[in-house]
Amino acid sequence: MQKERVVIIGSGPAGLSAAIYTARALLNPVVLTGVQLGGQISLTSEVENYPGLFNPEATPTGPDMVELMRRQAEHFGARLVYEEVTEVDFRHGPPFTVKTHGQTFSADAVIVTAGASPKHLEVPGETEYVGRGVSYCGTCDGFFFRGKDVAVVGGGDSALEESIFLTKFADKVTIVHRRDELRAGPTLQKRAFANEKIGFVWDSVIDAIEGNGVVQNVKLRNLKTGAAGDMTVDGVFIFIGHYPNSKFLVDELAMDEHGYVITDEFMRTNVAGVYAAGEIQDPHYRQIATSVGQGVAAAMQLERWLAAKE
Ligand code: NAP
């Protein structure tokens, strides 16, 4: 059992911001990074909306930001452990127990920033063709679709942002949206509508993804008319929202009906000494900037709580 003052679960913007603040408060935090250092932003292309970092000549990418935050956290003394948390015991603490596959930590206080993961369509062929045409990350897989035709599912900011990115590689990007109105913000809508490589199939869903070893076709259905049809594509990119990575917290922290951890305005969970920040507790904003703010708030609150106890 490794004894620690502060354990941070997750290494996205919320986790690394909490690490910077708790490290600078001399609390010597350990960050259990999870499978992907940086979380979702490590799979993001250009980040244009984070205040202060905008540079039209060289827009920073998600991985650039992760690297800057990691360096900053380690510079001030945070220790990163590249392991995924499998189990926690918050009910019998403090001290709280946090387990990974290889190690067990005991912590006086914990900040949970385990983030969220992309939702699946749950249609036939989706799981079968992951990595063979089906993808949840344009930045990761766009390169494999040079000169090809792809479908994008969703009408939110992610779907449009990724579609615009995919036009760097693909000949044609067809956005399949279940309504006739996009959810995405006006700036992205304007850019997508102006892009000659992007087309739209409105009021429609994909019922099945088909192929022969790799994706070749999707079965489309118009929700208004019921008309069904086929579309020949080499890839299907799915951006229909996220779910919180909170399975390991069931029975340990209070959650809403969708599995988001419930926090108050001070990022406190229902367990004193356990805080949550970022997309594990935020289904609303999901911005790098808001996750950073929540991580900072959780760290400051934790520091005050530990100081008051001592
Ligand atoms: P989102 O805003 O929840 O949009 C999900 C989209 O997928 C919606 O258009 C939704 O349709 C559609 N959808 C959901 N379930 C579906 C299903 N089963 N089948 C077909 N379509 C389905 O998710 P997001 O785009 O990932 O964005 C999440 C948050 O991150 C938002 O707050 C967004 O503003 C933010 N974000 C911001 C940026 C940026 O600022 N640059 C970039 C990416 C994300 P309906 O519209 O009909 O519900």
Side-chain angles (χ1 to χ4, degrees):
M1 178 92 79
Q2 195 168 315
K3 213 177 150 1
E4 300 290 345
R5 297 206 75 196
V6 177
V7 165
I8 296 168
I9 301 175
S11 60
L16 291 177
S17 302
I20 292 163
Y21 270 66
T22 49
R24 295 191 80 249
L26 306 179
L27 292 172
N28 200 20
V30 163
V31 180
L32 305 175
T33 63
V35 282
Q36 179 73 60
L37 174 68
Q40 290 181 77
I41 66 159
S42 61
L43 307 176
T44 304
S45 47
E46 293 169 347
V47 179
E48 292 183 327
N49 56 5
Y50 191 82
L53 282 189
F54 180 63
N55 174 0
E57 275 90 52
T59 310
T61 65
D64 292 339
M65 290 187 68
V66 174
E67 180 53 17
L68 287 170
M69 289 188 205
R70 179 196 65 77
R71 261 197 276 168
Q72 194 175 354
E74 289 191 329
H75 173 82
F76 289 112
R79 291 160 295 146
L80 270 59
V81 175
Y82 292 81
E83 290 187 25
E84 189 179 14
V85 172
T86 52
E87 207 181 317
V88 296
D89 181 356
F90 292 158
R91 282 172 299 169
H92 301 100
F96 306 107
T97 305
V98 180
K99 287 186 184 173
T100 66
H101 285 294
Q103 301 185 61
T104 301
F105 298 85
S106 160
D108 294 335
V110 175
I111 303 178
V112 182
T113 68
S117 297
K119 275 188 191 160
H120 291 194
L121 272 182
E122 292 174 16
V123 296
E126 181 180 16
T127 311
E128 189 185 339
Y129 286 110
V130 168
R132 290 185 290 155
V134 171
S135 171
Y136 305 88
C137 177
T139 315
C140 320
D141 299 327
F143 190 72
F144 302 117
F145 293 87
R146 271 169 300 169
K148 301 202 165 164
D149 292 351
V150 300
V152 165
V153 188
D157 284 332
S158 299
L160 265 60
E161 195 169 72
E162 297 276 354
S163 295
I164 293 163
F165 179 77
L166 285 169
T167 59
K168 287 188 185 183
F169 309 100
D171 271 357
K172 193 171 151 204
V173 176
T174 305
I175 297 177
V176 179
H177 183 37
R178 62 183 178 183
R179 292 187 293 138
D180 60 2
E181 203 180 303
L182 295 167
R183 180 177 292 279
T187 309
L188 279 170
Q189 288 203 28
K190 209 170 145 193
R191 284 173 59 196
F193 287 134
N195 191 314
E196 283 175 1
K197 285 188 171 180
I198 296 179
F200 291 87
V201 175
W202 301 106
D203 298 315
S204 297
V205 290
I206 288 178
D207 279 336
I209 299 166
E210 300 172 332
N212 183 9
V214 292
V215 168
Q216 292 173 324
N217 185 63
V218 290
K219 292 245 168 264
L220 292 173
R221 181 167 45 93
N222 186 299
L223 293 172
K224 281 191 176 152
T225 64
D230 289 279
M231 180 165 68
T232 305
V233 287
D234 304 295
V236 183
F237 285 81
I238 299 164
F239 305 110
I240 59 167
H242 295 85
Y243 63 87
N245 298 322
S246 57
K247 266 195 198 140
F248 70 103
L249 300 169
V250 171
D251 298 331
E252 299 295 334
L253 293 179
M255 296 178 197
D256 70 12
E257 70 272 28
H258 303 293
Y260 286 93
V261 173
I262 295 170
T263 53
D264 66 7
E265 70 267 43
F266 300 112
M267 315 320 294
R268 294 183 292 208
T269 68
N270 62 315
V271 176
V274 178
Y275 301 81
E279 291 194 31
I280 192 86
Q281 56 82 56
D282 170 23
H284 305 293
Y285 301 113
R286 292 173 158 155
Q287 301 296 300
I288 301 173
T290 50
S291 289
V292 163
Q294 291 156 359
V296 169
M300 292 178 71
Q301 214 47 53
L302 173 150
E303 197 228 329
R304 287 172 193 167
W305 182 76
L306 280 178
K309 257 181 33 139
E310 284 152 19

